[in-house]
């Protein structure tokens, strides 16, 4: 089902040299969200699903699956050893306690949402080597007593 | 050793109502790095260690420990169920594959360093609720064949 | 620190036969939230912390710790074999997929918040045996594309 | 076997736009139980199985499988990273100890059954955003000495 | 708390050569339940708690703790390699699927309760070696649709 | 191989409505052992294997596989979340330490065999609900010094 | 309790340079069983316990603990990374399937007991380097149908 | 690849009633090594590979695969619940610490090799029941400082 | 996709007796990097990909896949029991803490990169047996405060 | 015991600013082995143990413990999140399969010993940043059939 579609999307991407940036422009979203959605972790609107079907030469039935809410996070375990992904794990290990302290000192008791959330990745040129700058923005959700 | 010092720092912080922001100003670093270091995941310079010793009323011997390179990531497992920390885990589960795709589409084959790395946390006011904006900047390190 | 205070609260509760219901009335919250807070998973307001200190004969310093945001979920692993707790694990195993389907069919793509959240436990008398009725209410948080 | 049938049910649901609510009405049960059963975690009566076979265009042989008692909880591990499901995990981590304390304070020594159990999901409109209200009702089963 | 009392009970048992059978007679329960309770997995009535306090020379405060509902299953992980305990794990591995099939063929859809439950251990003399005969009796709890 | 045969046995059982009890009578063993063997955890004698082949309409080659000693316990992990199976896990968590104490108090140092072992499941009618009574009988195997 | 005694035995062994071989001779058992018992995995007879108390300068109360049946296998997890112990794990990984095949081809369906079991370790001199020869002898326990 | 060949070897073995002993004689090795190799944990010489191909009616291409060094230990996890295999795990849990103590007392600091290693399984008849006697011989490899 | 190509590369290697050394010469890289890349853990340049396609008789479409950045570390779990691979795990267990101490004493606070990294394997002849000499070279990446 | 001594060694090292290099010169071994030994993973000779006792101001009794063979690998789990240590884990994940292929292509079937093993760490100056060069040398141990 959705898994199979993700594999076919990736195959088409490789064979036809499609760029996430271009897909994103086509469906009117950021490249970050577009990639997350094409990889099976977000649902598309009807209009987007039709465009995705066209770009990646999928079947009509797939258009319906692309509009379903997916089971998110399925691929996470198979990527746990990948060095790029692990660096993010390491950020949580090393900076996680500080993250908790600072957010709670500045905002009070609550969390940073991973649902009402956006992510933006920029390439920052630098004489000592390019830097990856990732900006994560999540709504602060306060705990309340009841 | 370092573990014990972290506990005493946290005790002093609570009892005396110390803010990470103020500690950061005192030692001339960001609040994010300062919290990470006070929580035992970074080493201080000699000058910083002396200030930290003073601020948190530590012992002279502790000043030396604060300048040691710590075993990083020790607290990570005990925080794995904390909702604020988990949201970051979820970001990796849900957005990790997209992160890998986008970084590699834009930068080529390599990783975003978690060592040559900075983190900045901002409070973004918004009519629908404040947002936590976290900017992570890591040097891009390319894979090379050999 | 907070761990130690939780243990002392439980000791006082046993020795003096204190009821969560009575503590809840004293601090003006539900018995559910009060128990969660006394067990170290919620932070108290200053006023509440003073009352808790009094009720459980804690020290002045503890009053400050009770107002700190705790590392939530610490006890979770040590209770994983407890039959009452496990039944809730089982509800997720057996009814989790249905929960996801129904919530998403009725609300669209999003989650039920565990932060903007309340819980109410009632005893429902029944001729075939009392029933535990637990009402969980969490704000629906929609996913948004970006 | 049952696994395969679940996949085909989900495919038919997507392709034909079937709603759990409508299936539930057809077989005379709640939408929650119906979804749980269609997802392979409950057994159908003969009459229900025939209706399910018709609605989802299954084979005659499948009607027999739908009446078998399933191996429950099989899909649980593959959903463990899904944000909606995880929030329930988090409720156990954060509120589990309180749940145990309150149930046992009010009912005595025993558990809330996950077998003699019902679940009801309601959408509660609210100016600050809809809320998901889930009512879980389980028979209280007392421990007895022997 | 309860953990500590269990340790002291075991110490007294060893030093004074107390038998579970005799403790059981004293408090009017089976030896199986008595051992489970003394090991910290069951709660005692007030009368039983007083007798246990006396038999094992515990403190007055302990009498109150013995009447609390314990966190059950705490010692389970530390015994997982013990050969006697593992054989029971093996019974589940090897005979578990058959157990499920037979119970469900004979009783219908439901479970055998581990709460409304008794256990009896007998020594059966045999010329080829004594046999341990354990009789487990649990109420059948049927699943119901809703 | 054996796995495949187990699946085919279960399919035939469902489609033709075969009962374990009847299979057991046919091969002259208890229903408990018969189910364990058909589910792939015991080996059949040549005579039994031929009868099983006939009852479940297997192939001639399968008759040979049914006489092989299987890799026992293969299905155990996939059933770990099933409520009926888990209750047995819970019995070990909650009553395991008592089981060890009582067996060793009555028999001395040793284990209850899970190999020289029989299991019998009975339905005990009761006005407050039927009970599942399971009698497990295992040879006591004493530890010896050497 | 027993754990503590094991630690004191090891301390005395190091400080006084005691050899397992000599302890074994004193209590009339093999060096292998003696070490296993002193390390807390076997119980001593009353006579042996008294000698052990004397050899390792333990307390009178310890003599009683040494005669208790221990919780076996407690230290196993802490040694899992030790290279000498791991080699045995590797033998199971690499040769385990062959072990199962050969034992069952030669003995029929059953297991090699780890309870009715002896172990003997010999040093075999060889020009290319000494060899450790370990002979394990366990009673064959046949499976029986019932 | 090698996995597939192992499955075909086992099928041929069952269908044609081949004994490991006879295969071993054919290729001039012990039955223990032969079984390990046929199960995919050892590599064959060219001459042996040709004989194995013939005995088990494999394809020519398989002859080449049989001479490859395999990824050893692949099947280990799927056998972890098998009672015969587990007994060896138990030997490590219960006797592992003694094994380490005795080998190191007699040989000094080092390990018993699992690579320069042989294994021999004998059936020892005994009036109280046959015994499995397994002799493991591994070269002692001393640690050296550098 | 890439997985499938790796399997076909290994098949061709076995059937045609191809050596990593020769492949390495063909594509102008070290044998170590070449093997890592062919096993699916590195990406090839266009020119290299074409040569690899030819050497291993792959399809044209595969040439494109070989130039994709792979999900690294996928095979790691399936090799965790292999003795050659485990020895490296053991080096980390036994020498890891020393490695950390020495690198940080000599270089300061930072890590040895596994991305800007080369590996060289040499055969060192020795009268007491050949030695494997592996030289790992990784750029030192210093931690910086911010 | 040994654990405690390691902690005291580290404390003295920090307080007195001792360098591993200097300790190594004192006892006549490499800095790599010396650190491994001081961290509790190697045993010292009598002469070395006396020097270590002096350098780190340990007690006389500790001298005896330092000459014992330790339980190696104990600290491994607590360092698993440390970035420097993890990079080595990553080398196994990413380069492990290549390592196995190359060693076995060049040496035949066998392993690289982690016991008959040396490790050397060098600082290689480079205009683009210093490199850590680690040379690992392990005896090749061939598998033999038997």
């Amino acid at each position: 089902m959705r898994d199979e579609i993700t594999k076919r999307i990736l195959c088409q991407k490789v064979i036809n040299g499609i760029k996430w940036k271009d897909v994103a422009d086509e469906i009117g979203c950021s490249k970050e969200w577009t990639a997350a959605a094409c990889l099976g972790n977000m649902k598309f609107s009807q209009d987007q699903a039709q465009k995705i079907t066209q770009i990646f030469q999928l079947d009509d039935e797939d258009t319906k699956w692309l509009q379903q809410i997916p089971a998110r996070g399925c691929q996470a375990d198979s990527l746990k050893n990948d060095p790029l992904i692990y660096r993010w794990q390491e950020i949580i290990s090393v900076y996680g306690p500080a993250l908790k302290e600072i957010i709670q000192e500045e905002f009070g008791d609550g969390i940073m949402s991973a649902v009402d959330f956006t992510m933006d990745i920029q390439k920052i040129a630098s004489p000592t080597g390019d830097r990856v700058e990732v900006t994560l923005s999540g709504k602060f959700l306060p705990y309340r007593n009841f």
Side-chain angles (χ1 to χ4, degrees), chain A:
Chain A
M1 299 168 305
R2 188 71 192 264
D3 258 24
E4 286 310 310
I5 298 177
T6 299
K7 277 187 198 156
R8 269 182 290 136
I9 284 177
L10 286 173
C11 278
Q12 287 296 318
K13 184 176 180 297
V14 166
I15 291 164
N16 298 319
I18 299 165
K19 296 282 173 203
W20 296 119
K21 188 76 195 71
D22 297 334
V23 181
D25 288 349
E26 204 72 42
I27 66 168
C29 284
S30 67
K31 63 188 185 300
E32 291 82 4
W33 186 88
T34 302
C38 287
L39 290 164
N41 284 316
M42 295 290 153
K43 82 182 263 294
F44 291 99
S45 69
Q46 190 180 3
D47 181 56
Q48 291 170 330
Q50 282 164 349
K51 285 178 179 153
I52 293 295
T53 302
Q54 218 172 4
I55 295 169
F56 294 106
Q57 304 178 27
L58 305 173
D59 302 331
D60 278 3
E61 211 171 271
D62 298 337
T63 316
K64 287 191 179 164
W65 275 107
L66 291 169
Q67 300 173 57
Q68 300 303 309
I69 302 170
R72 292 176 162 97
C74 295
Q75 313 103 317
D77 290 347
S78 71
L79 282 173
K80 72 176 199 299
N81 291 328
D82 183 79
L84 187 143
I85 297 291
Y86 182 77
R87 294 304 175 276
W88 282 71
Q89 203 63 55
E90 191 170 296
I91 291 168
I92 298 181
S93 292
V94 173
Y95 291 98
L99 208 55
K100 181 173 160 72
E101 286 286 331
I102 296 298
I103 292 177
Q104 295 179 343
E105 180 165 308
E106 308 236 323
F107 291 78
D109 189 10
I111 60 153
M112 167 182 162
S113 178
V115 171
D116 188 334
F117 172 85
T118 65
M119 177 172 77
D120 179 68
I121 303 172
Q122 295 293 333
K123 190 178 197 164
I124 307 294
S126 153
T128 59
D130 292 346
R131 294 186 77 81
V132 186
E133 191 176 285
V134 183
T135 306
L136 309 172
S137 166
K139 193 175 174 184
F140 179 72
L141 302 179
Y143 269 97
R144 287 195 301 214
N145 55 20
F146 54 88

